[in-house]
Amino acid sequence: MANLTTNFVGIKSPNPYWLASAPPTDKEYNVVRAYKAGWGGVVWKTLGSEGPPVVNVNGPRYGAVWGADRRLLGLNNIELITDRPLEVNLREIKKVKRDWPDRAMVVSLMVPCDEESWKAILKHVEDTEADGVELNFGCPHGMSERGMGAAVGQVPEYIEMVTRWVKQHSRMPCIVKLTPNIADIRKPAEAAKRGGADAVSLINTINSITSVNLDTFSPEPMIDGKGAHGGYCGPAVKPIALNMVAEIARNAETRDLPISGIGGVTTWRDAAEFLALGAGNVQVCTVAMTYGFGIIKELTAGLSTYMDQKGFTSVDQLVGRAVPNVTDWQYLNLNYVTKAKINQDLCISCGRCYAACEDTSHQAISMSPDRKFEVIDAECVACNLWVNVCPVQDCITMEELPKGAVDPRTGAVVDDYANWTTHPNNPMAKAAE
C-alpha cells in the first residue's frame, strides 16, 4: 500500500490529514479521541495571551447552508478563540504530545500585535514541546474587531513584522494562516515568506452571513434578536480555497513555500486535489464536525487506494502535479474544439439539457415529438452546461474534434498548431512580439 506519511516543514505525521484549529481541537479529550481514530495531527484551537478571559456567546454559534437533501454544504460560526484558561491548554498540550510522540501537534496562536505579547506566549508554547506554531491571521469575526486575526492578515506589512518576531523568539517551525478576505492572496503569502515563515496555511474562514430569519429579521445564528457576520467554512468554500492554494503554488515569489491546504476537504478526492495543486498536507474541520472523527478511515483508505492505482508510493509524488497545468485565461488554446454528444441509451428524456440550452444558452439541442434530444453541432459552442445539469452521469460527454476537421459552427478547420501561447492568432503572442 502507498505510504501516507508526511514530513511537513520538519513536522512528521503518519498521514497528511490534520484537524484544523477549531472546536474539535480545543481540549485533551477531543484530541486524544482524534489520535486514536487515526488522524495524523492536529492544530490546537487558537490560544490567546494571558489577561482578561475570552468570553464566547452562550447562544447558537453556528449558521448553516444545506443542499436539497439536507446535506450540510457550509457552516458559519461566530465562535472566538479558546475560552479555556491558557495554563490549562498548555498543560494538556504538553501531556498529549508526550503521550502521542508520533503525531503532529501544532499550536495556533493569536495575541495583540506587539512584540512582547508574542515573545511571552512563544516561551510558554515551547515549554510544551509542541512541533510548531500556526499564526492565526485569518479569523474574520470577533477578534478582528480587536485588531487581531484578519485585521493583521489583511495588511502584508503586519504579517511580515509579526512573522519576524516569531522566528526571532522561537525555535519552532512557523506556519502563517492566511485570510481569504483579501483581493490578492499572493501578497500576504509573499509577506509571510519575507518574514521567514516556514509555511503558510489557507484558507481561513470567509466573512459571511448565511441566512436571515424572516420572522425576527435577524441574521442567523441569532443572539437575543441580533446577529453578526461570522466565518464560513465547509464543502462550499473548497473552490475558493483550491484557487488560492494554486495562486501561491504557481507564483514565482512563493512557489517554494510549503502550503497546508484548508477549506472544504470532505473526501479523499478533495484532499488529493489540494495536494495536486501544491499543498503538502491538508487540514480538516467541518466534515469531522458533521460525521465524527471516524471519517478519517475513509479519508486515508481512499487516498491510499488512489495512490496505489496511480503508482505513487509517497504523498510527495502527488504534491504539485497539477500546478504546471494551471494557467491564465489568455494562454488557453483557442484552437481546441469540442462538441457535446448524447448517449441515447443512457438518456432518461428528462429534458433538463434542452430547457437549459434553449432558455439560457445557445439553442444547440433539438427535441423531437417523442422527446428524443440531439445536439445541433452548428450551434454548439461546447460550453459544457448540459454535462453539469444532466442528472445521469456520462449521459452527455464532450468530445474533441480531430485536427484538420471542420468546425460545423464556424466553418474553420481545427488548427493543428501545437502551442497557442505562440500562435500567430493569439493577440497576447503578438503583443509579446
Side-chain angles (χ1 to χ4, degrees):
M1 295 181 65
N3 183 358
L4 295 186
T5 60
T6 60
N7 186 332
F8 185 76
V9 297
I11 303 172
K12 297 178 181 179
S13 56
N15 62 63
Y17 295 103
W18 294 2
L19 282 171
S21 169
T25 63
D26 193 29
K27 59 175 74 73
E28 177 186 358
Y29 178 83
N30 300 72
V31 172
V32 170
R33 283 178 61 83
Y35 283 163
K36 287 181 177 179
W39 290 85
V42 302
V43 181
W44 199 278
K45 185 171 168 64
T46 306
L47 309 184
S49 57
E50 297 174 293
V54 172
V55 179
N56 271 294
V57 297
N58 290 309
R61 298 181 183 182
Y62 300 104
V65 174
W66 298 278
D69 58 356
R70 188 69 181 182
R71 184 169 66 92
L72 186 65
L73 299 180
L75 275 180
N76 166 295
N77 87 88
I78 59 170
E79 184 166 307
L80 303 181
I81 65 176
T82 183
D83 52 12
R84 304 170 71 236
L86 178 61
E87 64 273 14
V88 172
N89 277 300
L90 292 168
R91 183 171 64 249
E92 291 183 1
I93 292 168
K94 186 171 186 175
K95 182 177 185 301
V96 173
K97 182 58 189 175
R98 183 190 64 212
D99 294 344
W100 295 85
D102 68 322
R103 308 302 172 92
M105 170 64 76
V106 174
V107 180
S108 177
L109 300 176
M110 182 193 296
V111 298
C113 203
D114 65 80
E115 186 172 2
E116 287 306 311
S117 294
W118 283 99
K119 182 178 179 180
I121 199 165
L122 287 166
K123 175 63 169 64
H124 291 314
V125 176
E126 284 207 337
D127 289 342
T128 69
E129 299 183 3
D131 296 308
V133 293
E134 182 180 79
L135 314 188
N136 186 341
F137 294 155
C139 185
H141 59 275
M143 306 309 292
S144 58
E145 288 92 322
R146 308 179 195 189
M148 293 179 277
V152 177
Q154 292 167 337
V155 184
E157 292 80 6
Y158 291 172
I159 293 175
E160 181 178 351
M161 176 180 68
V162 176
T163 304
R164 287 189 188 279
W165 293 339
V166 172
K167 292 302 295 180
Q168 179 181 349
H169 298 296
S170 171
R171 61 166 178 78
M172 296 176 288
C174 170
I175 304 168
V176 174
K177 191 173 188 179
L178 304 180
T179 176
N181 302 297
I182 195 165
D184 187 345
I185 196 65
R186 296 172 298 181
K187 301 306 179 185
E190 291 170 5
K193 183 179 179 182
R194 289 195 300 271
D198 297 283
V200 291
S201 59
L202 69 153
I203 59 172
N204 207 310
T205 53
I206 300 171
N207 239 338
S208 64
I209 292 176
T210 50
S211 62
V212 174
N213 187 309
L214 293 180
D215 292 319
T216 64
F217 299 103
S218 168
E220 300 280 8
M222 180 174 60
I223 305 295
D224 194 23
K226 301 291 184 181
H229 67 88
Y232 194 51
C233 60
V237 311
K238 174 191 156 189
I240 298 168
L242 286 176
N243 175 64
M244 290 189 169
V245 166
E247 285 295 281
I248 293 173
R250 71 190 188 98
N251 177 27
E253 300 298 321
T254 55
R255 62 172 55 127
D256 59 344
L257 185 63
I259 301 169
S260 182
I262 313 171
V265 175
T266 306
T267 68
W268 70 264
R269 184 178 294 273
D270 298 329
E273 290 174 7
F274 272 95
L275 296 170
L277 283 175
N281 69 5
V282 292
Q283 295 186 34
V284 184
C285 177
T286 304
V287 73
M289 296 178 73
T290 306
Y291 300 109
F293 290 147
I295 193 69
I296 187 61
K297 294 178 176 60
E298 294 183 25
L299 296 175
T300 52
L303 182 60
S304 179
T305 299
Y306 166 75
M307 290 175 58
D308 284 342
Q309 292 172 345
K310 287 292 186 181
F312 298 146
T313 57
S314 72
V315 172
D316 287 343
Q317 293 173 354
L318 174 56
V319 174
R321 296 282 289 228
V323 175
N325 293 326
V326 182
T327 189
D328 296 326
W329 193 97
Q330 66 199 33
Y331 301 120
L332 296 177
N333 185 359
L334 301 188
N335 293 300
Y336 176 79
V337 180
T338 61
K339 295 294 179 183
K341 299 295 180 184
I342 300 175
N343 185 329
Q344 299 297 339
D345 293 332
L346 294 177
C347 180
I348 60 175
S349 299
C350 67
R352 286 176 63 177
C353 60
Y354 177 79
C357 189
E358 191 72 12
D359 289 349
T360 69
S361 195
H362 295 272
Q363 298 76 51
I365 189 167
S366 65
M367 180 176 66
S368 68
D370 59 349
R371 295 184 67 80
K372 180 178 180 181
F373 301 95
E374 294 184 333
V375 179
I376 306 172
D377 284 346
E379 302 296 336
C380 179
V381 301
C383 68
N384 202 38
L385 176 63
W386 307 347
V387 175
N388 293 316
V389 302
C390 179
V392 180
Q393 186 174 357
D394 297 328
C395 178
I396 304 177
T397 55
M398 306 302 297
E399 298 185 6
E400 180 183 1
L401 291 186
K403 301 296 186 290
V406 176
D407 183 347
R409 186 176 70 87
T410 64
V413 176
V414 177
D415 202 331
D416 61 358
Y417 203 95
N419 189 354
W420 176 250
T421 304
T422 58
H423 193 286
N425 291 340
N426 182 353
M428 297 307 299
K430 292 182 178 180
E433 293 175 1

